[in-house]
Amino acid sequence: MKKKIRIKDIALRAGVSIGTVDRVLHDRGEVSDDTKSKIQHIIDELDYRPNLLASSLASKKSIVFATLMPKASNQDNYWSKPHSGVEKARNQLIEYGVQIKQYFFEMEDSSSFSTEAAKLLLCEPDAVMLAPCAKREAISFTRKLDELTIPYVYIDSILPDTHPISFVAQSSFDSGFLAAKLIDWGTREEGIILLIHVAKELDNANHLLLREKGFFRYFELKKSDKHRIFKIEVSGNIEQEILSHLKVIGIEPCEVSGIFVTNSKVHSAASFFKSRCYTPKIVGYDLIPENIGLLKEGVIDFLICQKPELQGSHAIHLLFDHLVKKEKIRKENYTSIDLITKENIDFYNSI
Amino acid sequence: MKKKIRIKDIALRAGVSIGTVDRVLHDRGEVSDDTKSKIQHIIDELDYRPNLLASSLASKKSIVFATLMPKASNQDNYWSKPHSGVEKARNQLIEYGVQIKQYFFEMEDSSSFSTEAAKLLLCEPDAVMLAPCAKREAISFTRKLDELTIPYVYIDSILPDTHPISFVAQSSFDSGFLAAKLIDWGTREEGIILLIHVAKELDNANHLLLREKGFFRYFELKKSDKHRIFKIEVSGNIEQEILSHLKVIGIEPCEVSGIFVTNSKVHSAASFFKSRCYTPKIVGYDLIPENIGLLKEGVIDFLICQKPELQGSHAIHLLFDHLVKKEKIRKENYTSIDLITKENIDFYNSI
DNA sequence: CTGAAAGCGCTTACAG
DNA sequence: CTGAAAGCGCTTACAG
């Protein structure tokens, strides 16, 4: 076992004081090129790693991260999960001088994204974590961050043509692809399959479209005409809209054998079928209470999950590793695509 | 934001020196009852939390954990995962003075468990993590640990009637139950289902029996006679043994519609069917290379996984939290029951 | 451009 | 039984 090498060791070898070593370590100038390169060599040679414990103990300066994500209306809301992930990371990093300021916007009101983003900037964060849900607003915000050279990471989804240092999110395409596989595996007969979007501004919800793409891609690749697949978009009165869509297509609810809902609103579509003659195979997203209830009842068969809590904590740790540890971090962090059923839900997230 | 309170603050309030405060903090005597209770009150009142950073920086004493698990014959072996989980934890905790000594026994040779356990004891560990695979040997070992009052945690499986301070493992029963659900969901027709044990000493492999139990329980609860389920035990020449079993039962390989193999040997059973007329729905365990290959080919449909790497690292952290942080740790740590398919395998374990 | 000194919050002998 | 002092590895003014 190699002995841990210290600043003192480097100073000794170089014949300088530890102060000087510290100056080159943190590249804060005031060192002659000669001694600088000499010290740098020794550092490299000895593969010196600073003791983070001692470093943060001695340093009084703190680093501030700011987060921006949708407000969780209550504790059961999906967005309470990333939030508690951030809290968890905060507790782990607080002794290292990390401060986290959190800002929340209203999911329904994209202008609140901008006002919260403006507030956020006032705290002069060293780095930012955001969920870029409101696409347009997020783009203009990240442009501002770019100007100020404040590094940022995404959680939940990804904004093309922006410059985050990293992101933590699920691959929407692949989760849709997997959903198709599940439906395919569960519906043997030449069945009718519904892909249902329950969303207001579908064109602005990039990840829902990607999930759809993945779903259709599966059946394309399979090159089987076994299934008849219909796509439905609803947003207001789910009940009525589904009914009228089915009427247009010309099928009865009980003829449907598989359903894929592209987001956590799967419970509303599931309830529609539950209250009728027949329960088709249903696959949707996310462990929110309504969905959990229907999963346990056996109405919903699979929920695809994305470890929202881990997304929050991991994103913060990425920021920490980048800014404090000065490590190079992975740019693409895809979360696992978790399959939750009635049978394994009680063990999900347990450790 | 409350100011972090320090030993010094307590000492000031109590009108004593920090040395005395430290004595009551660590309960190392040499303090009069009077001052002790006075200080204790102040500690409680102020809800003092020691600064772990400063504490481990100042402390030169190190703590040693020992681990005992099966040897991974190569890097792809299942047991290389818990091992690398332990290594990961070591790297995170090394600055806190944690030393980890690892010992490995031969899976096939249960006597090697005892000889390694004896070696382990010689390093006088402060705590032990073990995979209690060799049941009898593990029981006598834990008895010794109990005598020496060395705390221990299990990974992988659980030994009834012993006294670990905690364990990290998957619920075998529930994973078998889930396997049944998958097979049920995937085989619509009135099919023939095989439960296959590929194992030498089945009676000594408690978790395989529990998986079986869970599997049958599912169909019991379902109260449907739709499926005919047969149980097969093989161990040597898989090929031949499966064939002869099927002959006894009186069915052809191509009549089988679903297969559940109770461990990671699922690849051998899958290969049997792959090389024949028909590929039934196949569910098994663990991401070892042979299984991954067959999963990606579409021969195996689902692999149930149990985060072996996390098991290793989590177990070490439990030990750390218990011994160093003096926190009370959770005794039961069930890992999630992960469902891996061709479609989501690339994202498993990614973050 | 460089070094010496104080201090971060805690632990550990040591002196009394 | 109690206190004063040195030290863990680093950072941060400050003096020269």
Side-chain angles (χ1 to χ4, degrees), chain A residues 1 4 49-54 56-57 94-96 99 168 171 174 177-178 181-183 185-189 218 281-283 300-302 307 310-311 314 330 332-344 347-351, chain B residues 1 4 49-54 56-57 94-96 99 168 171 174 177-178 181-183 185-189 218 281-283 300-302 307 310-311 314 330 332-344 347-351:
Chain A
M1 165 141 139
K4 201 76 177 129
R49 311 289 178 88
N51 181 329
L52 216 59
L53 261 54
S56 23
L57 183 61
I94 197 164
E95 288 196 332
Y96 291 93
Q99 282 181 52
V168 187
S171 166
D174 291 281
F177 194 88
L178 176 57
K181 148 76 167 256
L182 293 174
I183 297 274
W185 161 284
T187 60
R188 311 303 298 159
E189 48 271 283
Y218 175 89
K281 304 297 180 190
I282 303 182
V283 176
I300 294 176
D301 295 277
F302 281 93
K307 297 207 174 51
L310 184 65
Q311 288 192 24
H314 192 66
R330 202 152 49 157
E332 304 192 335
N333 296 273
Y334 286 106
T335 61
S336 55
I337 306 178
D338 299 328
L339 261 24
I340 305 304
T341 73
K342 190 180 168 176
E343 289 79 14
N344 68 1
F347 299 102
Y348 192 59
N349 276 337
S350 49
I351 73 160
Chain B
M1 161 142 141
K4 200 75 177 129
R49 310 291 178 90
N51 182 329
L52 217 56
L53 263 52
S56 25
L57 184 60
I94 196 164
E95 289 195 331
Y96 292 93
Q99 282 183 49
V168 187
S171 166
D174 291 281
F177 193 89
L178 176 56
K181 148 76 167 255
L182 294 174
I183 296 274
W185 162 285
T187 59
R188 307 308 294 158
E189 48 273 281
Y218 175 89
K281 305 297 181 189
I282 302 182
V283 176
I300 294 175
D301 295 277
F302 281 93
K307 297 207 174 52
L310 185 66
Q311 289 193 22
H314 192 66
R330 203 158 43 163
E332 303 192 339
N333 295 273
Y334 285 105
T335 60
S336 56
I337 306 180
D338 299 329
L339 263 21
I340 305 305
T341 73
K342 191 179 166 176
E343 290 78 16
N344 70 0
F347 299 102
Y348 190 60
N349 275 338
S350 49
I351 73 161

Side-chain angles (χ1 to χ4, degrees), chain B residues 267 270 274 286-300 303 342 345:
Chain B
H267 58 88
K274 181 191 165 190
D286 297 334
L287 288 184
I288 63 173
E290 296 94 321
N291 290 347
I292 293 175
L294 291 166
L295 187 76
K296 292 199 170 177
E297 278 181 53
V299 178
I300 294 175
L303 287 171
K342 191 179 166 176
I345 184 170

Side-chain angles (χ1 to χ4, degrees), chain A residues 142-294:
Chain A
T142 57
R143 234 193 293 276
K144 217 167 295 169
L145 292 173
D146 286 335
E147 277 171 31
L148 298 166
T149 65
I150 297 174
Y152 52 96
V153 301
Y154 294 138
I155 62 166
D156 194 61
S157 54
I158 303 159
L159 225 46
D161 304 319
T162 54
H163 310 92
I165 57 168
S166 184
F167 66 80
V168 187
Q170 190 173 75
S171 166
S172 302
F173 179 90
D174 291 281
S175 75
F177 194 88
L178 176 57
K181 148 76 167 256
L182 293 174
I183 297 274
D184 184 32
W185 161 284
T187 60
R188 311 303 298 159
E189 48 271 283
E190 330 289 292
I192 290 174
I193 294 174
L194 259 37
L195 179 148
I196 306 182
H197 288 299
V198 184
K200 292 219 198 300
E201 297 180 67
L202 191 55
D203 61 322
N204 204 22
N206 200 30
H207 60 297
L208 299 193
L209 296 175
L210 283 171
R211 287 169 177 177
E212 175 189 323
K213 224 179 235 170
F215 188 82
F216 281 113
R217 182 71 180 143
Y218 175 89
F219 288 105
E220 263 173 59
L221 284 179
K222 219 197 158 192
K223 293 197 180 76
S224 121
D225 301 335
K226 200 180 82 177
H227 294 102
R228 295 166 58 203
I229 308 177
F230 299 97
K231 172 179 159 185
I232 288 180
E233 296 178 30
V234 298
S235 60
N237 185 326
I238 315 293
E239 190 86 354
Q240 278 194 343
E241 292 182 36
I242 292 183
L243 262 182
S244 71
H245 270 100
L246 290 181
K247 194 162 287 172
V248 171
I249 305 172
I251 55 179
E252 294 294 319
C254 60
E255 291 180 88
V256 175
S257 61
I259 295 177
F260 173 47
V261 180
T262 58
N263 63 10
S264 65
K265 300 292 199 315
V266 56
H267 58 88
S268 58
S271 299
F272 172 90
F273 284 90
K274 181 190 166 190
S275 66
R276 277 175 176 70
C277 58
Y278 188 65
T279 310
K281 304 297 180 190
I282 303 182
V283 176
Y285 284 85
D286 296 335
L287 288 184
I288 61 173
E290 296 94 322
N291 291 346
I292 292 175
L294 290 166

